[in-house]
Amino acid sequence: MNSRDDVINKVASAKSIVFFTGAGVSAESGIPVFRGKNGIWNKLKPEELANFNAFLKNPEMVWEWYNHRKQIIDQSEPNAAHLSISEFQKYFQNVSVITQNIDNLHRRAGSKIVYELHGNIERNYCINCRTFYNDDLPFEEKVPKCKCGGLIRPDIVWFGEMLPEKEFTSDEKAISGCNIFFIVGTSAVVYPAASLIYAAKDYGAFIIEINIEKTNASRIADQSFFGKAGDILPEILNLIKTKINI
Ligand code: BV8
Ligand code: ZN
């Protein structure tokens, strides 16, 4: 069991840090998580909404769901967890974020290297010709159509779909060289994203989990901090700044 001081010393002497984040890092920005007591999947079945066949069968319903989530995301701001992760860039050479989230809050918080494993709700493309429509796509109650007549879909990875090759391979590189791998606010149940935790372990990174409860990742973490990411990350950052007398 590492003392908190050991953990702070380890992080303070790191050259390369990766933050692997899930919906929990955005919970304090008011964006609902997927699983657990107030998860959105409790009310809706992912199979019914976040998959391509559901979209073909009922594009209106799927668009309605994403527009609803876009409105929530549009009213949200990065919280103290996103801002602390971004501030780490000031004190460490290599800081990368690998996120399963589609809300763009890490970038809005100022993080420069962000790999979005499951896409980004601000991007959309035509299923026919793959023309991208991003902020020029006003909230539509009906399904937006491309100039070619094809249906436009959110640029989000649905169940049964491959993760973006570029994102998935580039983050392998970030993981292979990292000394510290933070896991922040994820239940670690969705694959292949969750497999990156095991890859980090195999590469010898020190694994620090931050979550409000135990997860699948807890048993392989070298240290788990239980509590809200918006409280714990600023605290860790302050302890590190004192250590490196900022
Ligand atoms: C693939 C859509 C294969 C976008 C998402 C059976 C059938 C089909 C597929 C499968 C199957 N069995 C397994 C699979 C694979 C499947 C999968 O893993 N399913 C799981 C559910 C069992 N994966 C896939 O389908 C992937 N594709 O495998 O393709 C393939 C191979 C070859 C060729 C073709 C295809 C695609 C996975 C991506 C799916 N898309 N979302 C959207 O609408 O958002 S997944 C969804 O879950 C989100 O993207 C989310 O990011 C992701 C992970 O969830 P978390 O982020 O962890 O969120 P969660 O709510 O679960 O947890 C939140 C955590 O935060 C909790 O631990 C909580 O305690 C904590 N927390 C809360 N508040 C705080 C906090 N922590 C700190 N502070 C707080 N304040
Ligand atoms: Zn088109």
Side-chain angles (χ1 to χ4, degrees), residues 104-115:
N104 210 32
L105 287 182
H106 283 298
R107 279 220 182 78
R108 284 177 54 195
S111 286
K112 302 256 175 310
I113 305 179
V114 181
Y115 300 109

Side-chain angles (χ1 to χ4, degrees), residues 75-109:
Q75 280 138 30
S76 66
E77 292 297 326
N79 65 56
H82 299 105
L83 296 169
S84 304
I85 290 173
S86 166
E87 198 182 332
F88 266 82
Q89 297 170 126
K90 281 195 203 152
Y91 314 117
F92 294 91
Q93 240 169 326
N94 298 315
V95 177
S96 325
V97 176
I98 301 174
T99 189
Q100 302 169 89
N101 300 341
I102 59 170
D103 57 32
N104 210 32
L105 287 182
H106 283 298
R107 279 220 182 78
R108 284 177 54 195

Side-chain angles (χ1 to χ4, degrees), residues 47 85 206:
E47 299 71 39
I85 290 173
F206 186 79

Side-chain angles (χ1 to χ4, degrees), residues 214-231:
K214 265 175 154 286
T215 70
N216 285 2
S218 304
R219 61 192 152 73
I220 72 154
D222 295 296
Q223 175 70 40
S224 290
F225 291 107
F226 293 116
K228 289 186 171 178
D231 299 335

Side-chain angles (χ1 to χ4, degrees), residues 23-78:
V25 81
S26 298
E28 292 155 81
S29 297
I31 300 176
V33 295
F34 290 88
R35 299 164 187 87
K37 43 188 179 312
N38 36 13
I40 41 175
W41 289 150
N42 298 342
K43 302 175 206 58
L44 308 158
K45 288 262 150 303
E47 299 71 39
E48 280 153 27
L49 285 163
N51 82 54
F52 188 55
N53 296 331
F55 176 69
L56 291 181
K57 215 161 79 194
N58 192 340
E60 275 79 14
M61 179 182 70
V62 173
W63 259 111
E64 206 175 298
W65 186 47
Y66 280 99
N67 280 337
H68 167 67
R69 290 172 64 197
K70 267 189 205 179
Q71 265 139 9
I72 296 173
I73 290 171
D74 262 31
Q75 280 138 30
S76 66
E77 292 297 326

